[in-house]
Amino acid sequence: MKKLPIGIQTFSKIIEENCYYVDKTHFALKLLQGGGYYFLSRPRRFGKSLFLDTLAEIFLGNKDLFKGLYIYDKYDFKPHPVIRISFGSGDYSLDEERIHKRLKWVLKENQEDLGIDCGDLSNEECFAELIEKAHAKHSQRVVILIDEYDKPILDNITNKDMAKRARNILKNFYSVIKDSDRYIRFVFITGVSKFSKLNLFSGLNNLEDITLNEEFAEICGYTHDDLLTVFKDRIEGIDLELVKRWYNGYNYFGKPLYNPFDILLFLSNNGTFRNYWWQTGNPSFLIELLKEGDYYIPELEYSEVTEEILNAFDVDYIDLRALLWQTGYLTFDKRIADNLGGYTYTLRVPNTEVRISLNQLLIDYLTNQRQQKARYRLDMFDCLNRNDINGFVELFKKIFASIPYTNYVNNVISNYEGYYSSVVFVYLMALGYDVIPEDITNRGRIDLAVKTEDKILIIEFKVDAKEQPIKQIKERRYHEKYLNENKGIYLIGMVFDSRERNISQWEVERVDG
């Protein structure tokens, strides 16, 4: 049985240590035969660094590493000088000097690898000289591979002034590439975010963004077919449909993808379902950005974005939906062409792991119930399993009663009616249920529909209303949409008192499906 390459980003190490490897070299060959300048955005831990290292080995001419792989007999493996720049390690927050030091260290490494001395030059001057001298020394055009190009900006995403300074440092550094074009064979830039090309790579008009190019949809990540073939000897006895629901679902308009880090840890832990990828990052920046706006949480998870929003992303304009997509908390659901040659994209949560974890984070944001939320979720699960729907509503009364007053003061959204339904929504989503906000029927929209294995909850909310909202559910016969599902249907009407900040009235009725 081969070794699982957990955390290994070095292609030669994977091959030499007989690790599992999903062959991505057909994508590499396609890039080499195409243009010369490429950009790719994917979430963290998605295999970007390994792909970049694979490109490096191809351009260094290390053909023997590729025996048995797609590219082996289809490329000449002529050696080229390779310059590698990575911001993957280190923390660049609060201090721009850290960025300068990292650049100086990376350039020093490249000078040693290439046998070139830049002398006492600025980082930009050294980069330019490194490219020119490498070309002269090797009589071959230079390959430039940049990994995590955006990390110095993302590390400062909640500090706009420092983020701008980081952006300007990087913009000046990357501008060297444009002026050195005559010496360059190939450029590949990767990162998590898709910052506006105009503000970061101005002048690089030939930089092709393949992030949403269907031909490269599976350039990083594992498909389900990869799981069935490459990891065949590791998946015996595992419920693969459950694996799909938990970890599959990232969509770049090719086959649905797994995050490789998730699957490798899942397999190494004997098929134990756990939140592996989520535990590797600190998404606290999301809380800070959420606090700045009046986001209605259910709409975030089922939102639409235009191509312009995705391409205009920058320090001065951070669209939270675009950021959630770029960082892997949302993925594409559909792509809809407009009449002007552009697209609108609908977004969704990719899988159960992200759905549970993201909504636990949103519970913290909406309620500040970091300690109590686990207990509340268990109690909620128990109430629904026992069909104790009144107990379920009583539990939400307890939840709202225990939200600290300061949380209402500090969160913009708490001033809006959507706050109450957002709290209910995130708690139910954190249980892994199928929760549909603004569920469309032929007679109107249901505020919230919840599907469990054996029941449907149809929930209507009102704030400071005298009339019970369950009356609206019954009059518009919302439940008829689900009569054919052969599940118990519960109608729930909740009235909130904005002064007391809690449920003041509720009513529950059961309708047999």
Side-chain angles (χ1 to χ4, degrees):
M1 191 175 284
K2 293 185 176 183
K3 290 173 60 176
L4 292 166
I6 299 169
I8 300 178
Q9 300 173 356
T10 307
F11 178 75
S12 61
K13 191 174 179 181
I14 286 177
I15 300 302
E16 290 164 359
E17 295 188 4
N18 194 32
C19 296
Y20 292 96
Y21 176 67
V22 173
D23 190 356
K24 300 288 184 179
T25 62
H26 55 296
F27 292 114
L29 183 63
K30 190 176 292 187
L31 293 171
L32 304 186
Q33 293 172 338
Y37 291 66
Y38 295 100
F39 171 84
L40 175 71
S41 165
R42 287 292 186 270
R44 59 187 167 85
R45 299 286 193 170
F46 224 83
K48 302 185 298 294
S49 299
L50 175 59
F51 186 76
L52 226 61
D53 195 66
T54 306
L55 288 172
E57 296 292 357
I58 292 170
F59 278 115
L60 289 170
N62 295 323
K63 182 175 181 177
D64 286 348
L65 290 173
F66 294 88
K67 282 181 180 175
L69 299 179
Y70 180 85
I71 199 172
Y72 181 72
D73 58 356
K74 298 176 179 67
Y75 185 68
D76 62 11
F77 288 88
K78 182 186 294 183
H80 288 263
V82 176
I83 296 173
R84 307 192 213 196
I85 295 160
S86 174
F87 291 100
S89 60
D91 178 4
Y92 306 99
S93 59
L94 306 177
D95 184 4
E96 59 190 272
E97 187 58 30
R98 295 181 184 182
I99 306 172
H100 291 300
K101 284 182 177 178
R102 176 65 183 175
L103 283 171
K104 194 171 290 293
W105 186 84
V106 165
L107 290 168
K108 182 174 179 291
E109 271 201 328
N110 278 282
Q111 290 173 69
E112 291 172 356
D113 290 343
L114 294 166
I116 293 171
D117 185 7
C118 289
D120 190 22
L121 299 175
S122 71
N123 289 332
E124 290 77 20
E125 291 168 334
C126 179
F127 189 24
E129 185 154 320
L130 194 60
I131 295 169
E132 186 174 350
K133 284 186 174 181
H135 173 262
K137 180 176 179 178
H138 295 272
S139 300
Q140 289 290 342
R141 288 186 175 177
V142 178
V143 172
I144 299 172
L145 306 174
I146 302 176
D147 197 15
E148 305 290 354
Y149 85 98
D150 53 344
K151 192 170 186 296
I153 304 173
L154 288 179
D155 281 356
N156 295 284
I157 200 72
T158 58
N159 181 345
K160 190 167 283 190
D161 179 61
M162 181 58 209
K164 286 181 180 179
R165 280 183 277 158
R167 180 191 65 190
N168 291 337
I169 292 168
L170 295 177
K171 182 179 180 180
N172 290 334
F173 185 77
Y174 296 143
S175 69
V176 171
I177 298 173
K178 170 183 175 283
D179 295 332
S180 304
D181 179 67
R182 77 193 76 162
Y183 308 116
I184 294 173
R185 158 71 175 91
F186 185 88
V187 174
F188 198 88
I189 300 170
T190 76
V192 168
S193 59
K194 209 163 92 74
F195 280 99
S196 169
K197 207 164 35 171
L198 182 66
N199 290 329
L200 203 53
F201 300 113
S202 95
L204 276 182
N205 298 322
N206 53 346
L207 183 64
E208 184 181 349
D209 182 0
I210 60 170
T211 300
L212 299 182
N213 186 327
E214 291 179 26
E215 288 186 35
F216 298 99
E218 295 135 42
I219 193 170
C220 294
Y222 296 160
T223 66
H224 195 66
D225 288 339
D226 294 331
L227 193 60
L228 297 175
T229 54
V230 178
F231 300 97
K232 184 179 179 180
D233 59 345
R234 290 271 187 171
I235 59 175
E236 188 176 345
I238 291 176
D239 184 343
L240 294 177
E241 286 304 312
L242 192 57
V243 173
K244 273 187 185 179
R245 291 201 297 273
W246 261 82
Y247 301 116
N248 199 299
Y250 291 95
N251 179 25
Y252 296 96
F253 304 107
K255 294 179 181 178
L257 295 170
Y258 293 98
N259 182 310
F261 190 74
D262 265 336
I263 287 300
L264 294 175
L265 282 177
F266 172 76
L267 295 175
S268 73
N269 283 273
N270 300 313
T272 302
F273 290 91
R274 194 178 295 159
N275 297 344
Y276 297 108
W277 173 75
W278 181 270
Q279 294 170 1
T280 65
N282 179 12
S284 57
F285 69 90
L286 288 177
I287 295 290
E288 297 307 313
L289 291 173
L290 281 164
K291 285 179 179 177
E292 294 176 6
D294 56 338
Y295 301 103
Y296 179 48
I297 300 304
E299 287 182 354
L300 272 182
E301 298 197 23
Y302 295 91
S303 55
E304 292 186 351
V305 291
T306 62
E307 212 160 20
E308 288 74 23
I309 287 174
L310 297 180
N311 291 331
F313 186 83
D314 193 50
V315 172
D316 296 309
Y317 175 67
I318 298 173
D319 187 279
L320 187 62
R321 295 164 299 175
L323 186 60
L324 287 167
W325 162 63
Q326 291 169 6
T327 48
Y329 302 112
L330 295 177
T331 193
F332 293 119
D333 187 31
K334 296 175 184 174
R335 178 172 57 186
I336 306 160
D338 59 32
N339 295 325
L340 303 174
Y343 290 97
T344 297
Y345 301 90
T346 58
L347 302 173
R348 60 171 171 78
V349 177
N351 52 49
T352 298
E353 180 200 24
V354 178
R355 178 179 293 112
I356 292 172
S357 302
L358 176 59
N359 282 282
Q360 287 186 42
L361 181 80
L362 293 172
I363 289 171
D364 292 344
Y365 155 61
L366 289 168
T367 70
N368 204 23
Q369 293 171 338
R370 287 168 171 79
Q371 305 301 321
Q372 309 102 307
K373 66 183 177 187
R375 180 72 261 162
Y376 288 147
R377 282 175 29 242
L378 287 172
D379 290 347
M380 198 176 298
F381 191 72
D382 181 57
C383 283
L384 291 176
N385 274 349
R386 293 186 290 105
N387 296 327
D388 182 7
I389 309 302
N390 281 298
F392 166 78
V393 180
E394 286 279 8
L395 186 57
F396 271 109
K397 284 196 70 173
K398 188 186 294 186
I399 287 170
F400 282 106
S402 64
I403 296 174
Y405 170 75
T406 53
N407 214 64
Y408 289 99
V409 174
N410 295 333
N411 280 338
V412 175
I413 190 179
S414 63
N415 298 318
Y416 295 84
E417 291 185 2
Y419 173 75
Y420 304 103
S421 56
S422 292
V423 172
V424 177
F425 174 83
V426 296
Y427 260 106
L428 289 167
M429 286 287 279
L431 289 174
Y433 293 134
D434 185 6
V435 185
I436 309 164
E438 300 295 324
D439 188 16
I440 298 172
T441 75
N442 62 343
R443 295 177 179 272
R445 294 175 183 263
I446 303 169
D447 282 349
L448 214 62
V450 184
K451 296 182 179 182
T452 75
E453 287 187 4
D454 62 349
K455 64 180 70 66
I456 306 285
L457 308 181
I458 295 174
I459 308 175
E460 197 72 21
F461 305 100
K462 298 290 183 188
V463 178
D464 297 329
K466 293 181 180 179
E467 190 175 62
Q468 274 285 353
I470 202 169
K471 182 181 178 184
Q472 178 177 320
I473 300 174
K474 291 160 72 173
E475 285 179 349
R476 299 187 182 181
R477 303 201 291 277
Y478 288 154
H479 65 282
E480 290 181 354
K481 176 177 180 176
Y482 294 104
L483 286 176
N484 293 329
E485 297 213 10
N486 297 317
K487 295 181 180 181
I489 300 173
Y490 292 87
L491 317 181
I492 306 171
M494 296 186 193
V495 178
F496 290 89
D497 186 317
S498 60
R499 285 179 133 187
E500 295 295 322
R501 299 191 176 101
N502 210 328
I503 300 169
S504 57
Q505 304 172 54
W506 80 90
E507 194 172 344
V508 175
E509 283 190 24
R510 172 168 176 147
V511 179
D512 289 323

